[in-house]
Amino acid sequence: MAGQLTNVTRTFQKLTLAFRCRVAAVIINPNKENDVHIVTQTFTRNTNFFNKLPAQDLWKGITSVSNAGKKRGRGKNVSKSKIKDLNRGQIIGVGKANIVWPGLSAPIIRGKELVEQHQLPEDPEREKKLIQIRDSMGTSKRPKLSPLERGWSGAKLPGRSIGPPDPIEEETFEGFDTKVLELKTVFNMKGNFGRKRRQSALVVTGNGKGLAGFALTKGAEAKTALRKAKNRAAQKLMHIKLYRNHTVCHDFFTQFGTTKIYVWQKPEGHGLICHRAIKTICEVVGIKNLHAKVEGSTNVGKIMKAFFLGLIKQKTPEEIAEEKKLHLVEFCKENNYFPNIIASPKECRKLEEIPKDEILDYKQYCFDGRVVLKKKKYPPFYATYKSYELYLKKQEKIRNQNEVRRNLRAEYGEIRSHLADKYPECKQYRSEKKENVDEENEQ
């Protein structure tokens, strides 16, 4: 009988057992044949929810309110300013009785001597310092931002500057600035803990002189995600060509996914007329004058990737002339549409060598043969009214008068007729000032 029980026990011990499963162990007394003791062994799982999560998350679960609870009106009086950390200012092993505890508040061995437990003189100001620290909690207010430092939506981070990237050994990023394009909360479903919340940050960094980079990272907190993102963006810098250090080299079309962007080169003083994400990227890169139109998806990540693709694929006028083997000629209104040769190739093709279906128009070449969608402008609702017709008839005599006056002042410095050179009397009459008239009367 004892031998059979021993074999059964050995068979159980060889098996792989799950948690919380009882195994019977047999103890046989060799002195007594019929003396057999059966001992049961229980496997338990020593990990649970409370020792897996850190104290900060457990404390947050007690003091905060879930989103579902907020919708139902719970936790109206709960705020971060009212929650106080009672452990702030306290040190492990140091309490009211100032005692040296070897291994806790002091080393066990100091030099060659063994440290013994002994009491130190009391610190009467300790309680006052702790009370002062606790009273100062929750009284700080968020500093107000100036309008120039605000982001796209008030004091939120998208659109705001977070400073230059952290230095790497001797390499410091002087002149660099990092701006946030997107900061959002993302969730990942875990088997043990359910929804795991994380922060996703999309930033772009640059020195304002054609050197820029971007990165997308995630972290447990917003500060962690932003710090990782700006440091990673500094490791992936790209050189971008600029035309006269203020705009893009030429008009271009770029696309990423369903996002399409048309970009036009503009002269100085025009400004940045574009999507807010493109405007933020231009400020970091160093582009000051630009016009861009976005078609399709307006996802910030896709807009950023599409715009960077277009900036990288830019070509200088010399590269365009060499690629087409034709002269690059500019016609502009400021120069009375007089042809101005910007770049010339080493070997220019002849007219017979150019195929008939080749794109020779500069805009179509830059936009890859695409045409920008322009919405039709409909007349205003009052255009068919009888009163509007009467108004136009009355205004016909003085129509464009302000514009004509402005153009004459800009061209001639005064309001004059086109016959003024032949007939000098064809000038605007100006009454003399009262002061001059009074002086003549006194004389």
Side-chain angles (χ1 to χ4, degrees):
M1 180 69 182
Q4 292 178 356
L5 288 173
T6 307
N7 293 333
V8 170
T9 305
R10 289 174 181 172
T11 306
F12 275 122
Q13 289 176 349
K14 290 180 182 179
L15 295 175
T16 303
L17 300 175
F19 290 103
R20 295 178 183 175
C21 185
R22 294 184 177 181
V23 180
V26 181
I27 301 173
I28 303 170
N29 192 346
N31 299 327
K32 299 178 180 180
E33 294 181 359
N34 297 327
D35 192 0
V36 179
H37 299 279
I38 299 174
V39 181
T40 58
Q41 185 177 2
T42 306
F43 291 93
T44 59
R45 183 177 292 178
N46 297 321
T47 59
N48 57 18
F49 176 82
F50 295 102
N51 59 15
K52 274 276 187 180
L53 291 176
Q56 184 179 359
D57 291 350
L58 294 174
W59 183 251
K60 187 178 177 182
I62 298 169
T63 55
S64 62
V65 183
S66 64
N67 291 331
K70 288 178 183 177
K71 290 179 181 178
R72 297 189 179 187
R74 297 179 191 146
K76 291 181 179 178
N77 296 326
V78 177
S79 63
K80 291 183 179 179
S81 60
K82 294 184 179 181
I83 299 170
K84 295 185 178 182
D85 184 6
L86 302 180
N87 289 326
R88 184 174 291 180
Q90 298 193 23
I91 304 170
I92 295 176
V94 179
K96 290 182 179 180
N98 201 359
I99 301 174
V100 174
W101 296 91
L104 185 64
S105 60
I108 299 173
I109 300 172
R110 186 178 288 127
K112 294 183 179 180
E113 296 181 359
L114 188 67
V115 180
E116 295 182 357
Q117 178 183 340
H118 61 279
Q119 189 167 2
L120 297 174
E122 295 183 359
D123 186 6
E125 296 184 357
R126 179 178 175 275
E127 290 294 329
K128 294 180 181 179
K129 290 178 183 177
L130 290 176
I131 293 169
Q132 186 179 359
I133 290 170
R134 290 173 188 173
D135 292 342
S136 63
M137 284 189 224
T139 57
S140 60
K141 294 183 180 180
R142 183 182 291 178
K144 289 187 177 181
L145 293 170
S146 67
L148 296 176
E149 294 178 351
R150 291 174 190 162
W152 297 336
S153 53
K156 292 187 179 180
L157 274 170
R160 280 179 56 187
S161 173
I162 56 174
D166 297 335
I168 303 173
E169 295 179 356
E170 298 179 356
E171 187 67 30
T172 57
F173 296 91
E174 294 182 3
F176 277 76
D177 189 21
T178 307
K179 292 201 174 184
V180 184
L181 292 178
E182 192 176 34
L183 181 66
K184 60 183 179 181
T185 306
V186 292
F187 292 91
N188 187 17
M189 204 66 172
K190 297 287 185 180
N192 294 333
F193 310 111
R195 287 186 180 180
K196 189 74 174 177
R197 178 181 295 183
R198 301 178 76 192
Q199 299 293 328
S200 174
L202 177 65
V203 305
V204 58
T205 185
N207 63 350
K209 297 178 182 178
L211 201 62
F214 65 90
L216 172 66
T217 58
K218 296 175 184 177
E221 296 180 357
K223 289 183 179 179
T224 307
L226 292 170
R227 180 179 51 80
K228 287 169 62 179
K230 73 176 181 180
N231 293 337
R232 190 172 295 177
Q235 298 171 2
K236 301 178 180 181
L237 296 176
M238 297 171 279
H239 177 68
I240 295 165
K241 301 171 187 176
L242 300 179
Y243 179 72
R244 295 180 181 175
N245 295 325
H246 75 91
T247 186
V248 292
C249 292
H250 57 82
D251 304 346
F252 62 83
F253 167 82
T254 179
Q255 182 176 359
F256 184 85
T258 56
T259 302
K260 303 175 184 178
I261 305 176
Y262 295 90
V263 180
W264 289 270
Q265 183 191 61
K266 290 297 177 181
E268 290 189 26
H270 183 271
L272 297 170
I273 312 299
C274 52
H275 191 274
R276 60 188 184 183
I278 298 176
K279 186 177 180 180
T280 305
I281 295 170
C282 289
E283 290 172 356
V284 169
V285 173
I287 299 171
K288 301 171 186 175
N289 303 288
L290 183 88
H291 178 63
K293 183 184 178 184
V294 180
E295 291 183 2
S297 174
T298 55
N299 179 273
V300 178
K302 291 184 178 180
I303 289 175
M304 181 200 64
K305 291 177 183 177
F307 189 61
F308 266 102
L309 281 173
L311 292 176
I312 293 169
K313 292 179 181 178
Q314 285 185 113
K315 300 174 185 176
T316 59
E318 291 76 15
E319 290 175 352
I320 295 173
E322 284 294 334
E323 183 181 343
K324 299 290 287 184
K325 291 187 177 180
L326 294 171
H327 296 286
L328 186 62
V329 185
E330 180 187 24
F331 297 90
C332 63
K333 185 179 180 181
E334 292 78 14
N335 203 17
N336 292 327
Y337 298 102
F338 189 81
N340 180 25
I341 298 176
I342 298 175
S344 299
K346 294 180 179 178
E347 295 182 2
C348 186
R349 290 187 292 173
K350 296 181 180 180
L351 187 62
E352 296 81 14
E353 299 175 355
I354 302 173
K356 295 181 180 180
D357 58 345
E358 185 175 350
I359 298 173
L360 299 179
D361 184 56
Y362 180 72
K363 285 189 177 181
Q364 286 193 7
Y365 170 76
C366 293
F367 291 153
D368 296 335
R370 292 175 174 82
V371 180
V372 183
L373 175 63
K374 292 185 178 180
K375 294 183 180 179
K376 184 180 178 181
K377 290 186 178 180
Y378 293 96
F381 66 92
Y382 52 81
T384 56
Y385 292 178
K386 189 69 178 178
S387 58
Y388 185 66
E389 293 181 9
L390 296 173
Y391 168 77
L392 291 178
K393 289 178 181 178
K394 291 178 182 179
Q395 292 291 323
E396 188 175 4
K397 295 179 182 179
I398 57 173
R399 186 173 55 187
N400 299 332
Q401 201 173 76
N402 294 331
E403 294 181 6
V404 172
R405 287 171 178 270
R406 184 183 62 202
N407 293 336
L408 287 172
R409 285 200 182 97
E411 189 172 354
Y412 300 107
E414 60 179 354
I415 297 173
R416 53 180 287 181
S417 171
H418 66 283
L419 300 172
D421 295 333
K422 189 174 182 180
Y423 303 101
E425 63 272 12
C426 295
K427 291 184 179 181
Q428 185 185 21
Y429 174 75
R430 293 181 181 177
S431 59
E432 296 181 357
K433 294 182 180 179
K434 293 183 178 181
E435 296 178 359
N436 297 337
V437 175
D438 295 339
E439 290 177 0
E440 290 177 359
N441 295 334
E442 290 177 359
Q443 292 177 0

